[in-house]
């Protein structure tokens, strides 16, 4: 029973920590579109339409994974915002994961663009994030954006020639012969 | 022959009060050399149903939360403005263009229009509501073209979403 309760408490704390950060991200939408979201706690805010996570980063004796959170709002034409977060793993048993840094990637708020994210872990300290979009007013138009996520808070728009040095995919370990 | 499933940028089916405001906004934008055009004006409920289905019951990503008759476009009271640059529609709001979108919203407000939260291209007539429109409480001073079109669309609507009450249509003398 105590295990179950502890588990519940931990889940709640984890949820609250992540949720608090996410609510900050979603807050700009909240006043007009998602007023009931607060009543829905401890669930994830209803404006969240997509989440992907993966990869691994290390900095300042902390480490964790990357997370991409997409919120989508709107009525006539839907629009998304995309946030990249660096989630720090807990260091102690009673510690919750924390959002170490968050950066808005695709600021399409107000414009009729929705985004679906994908994330590819290339090496420790580097993931490639690809956003595939839909123009809500011209549904045949599908923009695409890509980013390199590096250390906490560092997000770089990806071009064909700016792959960071640490972002080479690591070769598989060599097999021992014989 | 009207294609009720196609996008239209024609202003003639808009409510005259709203049409005047849209025309004024366009004129002021033109005077300031801000290259907005009307991307979509009157939208039939059939097209709204198509848009609503996308990402729900038809392929693609969801593009709207507005059911037929929930959008001001169906009443001739909403339009979408989009930048038209180098012969292409552009939703770009980066750099200096952000100020253009802000100016669009400001001019809309000054001409009796209102924006929806977080939807920069869309402007609609202020001072009414979807509930009022569904109840048949339409803005005053609608002209014959607006009223006859809205009435015909309501009468022809075969979708699942309830249609609004019919507007008052001018009486025509019987043809002798």
């Amino acid at each position: 029973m105590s295990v179950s309760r502890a588990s519940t408490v931990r889940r709640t704390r984890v949820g609250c920590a992540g949720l608090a950060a996410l609510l900050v991200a979603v807050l700009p939408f909240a006043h007009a579109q998602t007023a009931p979201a607060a009543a829905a706690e401890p669930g994830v805010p209803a404006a969240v339409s997509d989440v992907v996570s993966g990869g691994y980063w290390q900095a300042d004796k902390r480490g964790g994974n990357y997370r991409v959170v997409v919120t989508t709002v709107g009525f006539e034409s839907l629009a998304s915002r995309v946030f990249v977060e660096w989630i720090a793993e807990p260091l102690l048993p009673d510690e919750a994961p924390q959002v170490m840094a968050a950066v808005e990637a695709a600021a399409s708020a107000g414009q009729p663009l929705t985004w679906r994210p994908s994330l590819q872990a290339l090496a420790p300290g580097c993931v490639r994030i690809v956003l595939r979009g839909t123009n809500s007013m011209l549904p045949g138009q599908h923009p695409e954006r890509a980013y390199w996520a590096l250390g906490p808070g560092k997000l770089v728009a990806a071009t064909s020639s700016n792959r960071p040095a640490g972002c080479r995919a690591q070769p598989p370990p060599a097999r021992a012969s014989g | 022959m009207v294609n009720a499933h196609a996008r239209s940028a024609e202003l003639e089916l808009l409510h005259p009060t709203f049409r005047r405001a849209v025309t004024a906004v366009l004129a002021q934008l033109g005077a300031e050399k801000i290259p907005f055009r009307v991307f979509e004006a009157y939208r039939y409920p059939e097209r709204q149903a198509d848009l609503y289905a996308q990402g729900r019951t038809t392929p693609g990503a969801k593009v709207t939360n507005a059911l037929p008759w929930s959008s001001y476009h169906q009443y001739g009271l909403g339009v979408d403005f989009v930048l038209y640059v180098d012969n292409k529609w552009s939703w770009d709001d980066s750099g200096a263009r952000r100020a253009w979108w802000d100016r669009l919203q400001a001019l809309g407000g000054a001409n009796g229009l209102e924006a929806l939260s977080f939807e920069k291209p869309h402007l609609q007539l202020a001072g009414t509501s979807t509930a009022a429109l569904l109840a048949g409480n339409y803005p005053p001073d609608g002209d014959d073209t607006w009223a006859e079109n809205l009435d015909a669309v309501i009468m022809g609507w075969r979708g699942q979403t309830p249609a609004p009450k019919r507007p008052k249509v001018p009486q025509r003398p019987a043809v002798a």
Side-chain angles (χ1 to χ4, degrees), chain A residues 93-112:
Chain A
D94 60 349
E95 198 177 279
Q98 298 172 21
V99 177
M100 288 294 288
V103 175
E104 183 164 5
S108 60
Q111 298 306 319

Side-chain angles (χ1 to χ4, degrees), chain A residues 33-60:
Chain A
Q33 300 282 348
T34 56
E41 284 191 78
V44 174
V48 173
S49 55
D50 245 312
V51 178
V52 294
S53 62
Y56 184 69
W57 58 266
Q58 276 184 306
D60 298 331

Side-chain angles (χ1 to χ4, degrees), chain B residues 81-159:
Chain B
F81 291 85
V82 178
L83 289 170
Y84 195 76
V85 180
D86 296 332
N87 297 317
K88 286 188 293 191
W89 295 107
S90 171
W91 285 263
D92 183 13
D93 68 342
S94 61
R97 291 186 180 183
R98 183 176 296 270
W100 289 355
W101 290 95
D102 293 342
R103 186 63 181 148
L104 168 67
Q105 304 258 307
L107 288 174
N111 283 280
L113 309 183
E114 65 182 7
L116 294 175
S117 300
F118 312 111
E119 298 188 34
K120 289 183 178 175
H122 181 87
L123 287 173
Q124 60 189 32
L125 188 68
T128 184
S129 67
T130 305
L133 298 172
L134 281 167
N137 297 320
Y138 300 112
D141 304 324
D143 61 12
D144 294 359
T145 304
W146 170 81
E148 287 172 355
N149 174 69
L150 180 57
D151 191 56
V153 174
I154 290 171
M155 294 303 288
W157 172 239
R158 298 290 178 265

Side-chain angles (χ1 to χ4, degrees), chain A residues 26-34 72-79 81 107-116 132-142 145, chain B residues 7 39-40 43 47-48 51 54 56 60-67 70-73 80-82 89-93 98 101 116-122 124 130:
Chain A
V26 171
L27 206 55
F29 297 117
H31 68 94
Q33 300 282 348
T34 56
T72 299
V73 295
F75 186 71
E76 288 277 353
S77 300
L78 302 185
R81 296 176 74 180
S108 60
Q111 298 306 319
L113 296 170
T114 59
W115 299 103
R116 297 296 305 270
R132 293 182 175 83
T134 294
N135 185 329
S136 298
M137 290 173 63
L138 205 58
Q141 190 181 82
H142 296 287
R145 296 183 189 176
Chain B
R7 176 172 62 85
F39 179 80
E40 183 158 13
R43 182 188 297 154
R47 172 166 158 75
Q48 191 69 45
L51 295 171
Q54 183 173 324
R56 294 181 172 90
K62 274 200 283 189
V63 296
T64 185
N65 282 331
L67 281 159
S70 293
S71 165
Y72 277 37
H73 284 279
D80 297 323
F81 291 85
V82 178
W89 295 107
S90 171
W91 285 263
D92 183 13
D93 68 342
R98 183 176 296 270
W101 290 95
L116 294 175
S117 300
F118 312 111
E119 298 188 34
K120 289 183 178 175
H122 181 87
Q124 60 189 32
T130 305

